[in-house]
Amino acid sequence: MPKQQQGLQVIQHMGLTYRVMQSAFSGRVGHALPRWRILLALHECGQCSQKHLAERCRLDPASLTRQLQAMEKLGWIARAVDPQDNRLTNASLTPAGQAVVNDALPRRAAFFEESLKGLSAADIDTLNRVLSVLEQNFLHAAADKPSQG
């Protein structure tokens, strides 16, 4: 099979695998991946600006705002204007939000353990290396996109 066709199959397989992983994660952990990334970031960082959260969670600001609004309505997070810079809005977990994270962390750990069954440490290292190369290639491809006009 030609390299280009193999590459197409790999990229399509990777996309399918990611979608399956997202669905399985949500079902097992109880939270969609974007929401979980926000909860985990706030758990690890404490109070955090929305700008920093968007960068850390790799979410566009509008998506992040929608997620934060929904979690605020659930009582899981609180938001407030940054006292040092009123252009920034900070978010933090409430005690209820921290309880949600604490409840989900063991399920997350079990999900990851189960997901990596059958892979050696060397397999995982190789996979990480390959994914890093692909990520850089995707970033370069996005930066080199042809102009539309």
Side-chain angles (χ1 to χ4, degrees):
M1 180 182 312
K3 182 178 178 182
Q4 186 174 6
Q5 190 176 354
Q6 282 180 310
L8 177 61
Q9 286 183 339
V10 165
I11 300 300
Q12 289 174 335
H13 192 172
M14 186 172 57
L16 176 62
T17 301
Y18 182 70
R19 289 187 295 280
V20 169
M21 186 271 304
Q22 282 185 302
S23 178
F25 183 92
S26 178
R28 182 75 181 267
V29 178
H31 302 283
L33 209 46
R35 178 174 287 183
W36 175 252
R37 288 195 316 248
I38 296 165
L39 289 168
L40 186 62
L42 291 173
H43 169 72
E44 292 173 347
C45 296
Q47 183 172 282
C48 188
S49 75
Q50 286 186 207
K51 181 180 178 180
H52 177 76
L53 270 177
E55 292 167 359
R56 180 178 173 138
C57 298
R58 295 184 181 190
L59 292 170
D60 68 271
S63 295
L64 176 69
T65 298
R66 285 191 298 275
Q67 289 283 347
L68 291 175
Q69 287 171 340
M71 288 188 281
E72 195 171 28
K73 285 180 183 174
L74 292 167
W76 296 353
I77 66 145
R79 293 188 296 165
V81 173
D82 188 303
Q84 275 85 41
D85 185 346
N86 65 4
R87 297 170 296 174
L88 297 176
T89 300
N90 293 325
S92 59
L93 289 175
T94 63
Q98 186 61 57
V100 166
V101 171
N102 292 345
D103 185 54
L105 282 170
R107 292 192 307 270
R108 174 184 177 253
F111 174 78
F112 286 152
E113 186 174 327
E114 190 173 320
S115 297
L116 297 174
K117 277 184 187 171
L119 296 175
S120 68
D123 292 337
I124 294 169
D125 285 344
T126 299
L127 184 56
N128 269 321
R129 184 182 53 75
V130 169
L131 289 172
S132 292
V133 169
L134 284 171
E135 182 178 0
Q136 288 306 306
N137 290 347
F138 292 147
L139 290 170
H140 288 294
D144 294 342
K145 66 182 175 186
S147 62
Q148 295 174 335

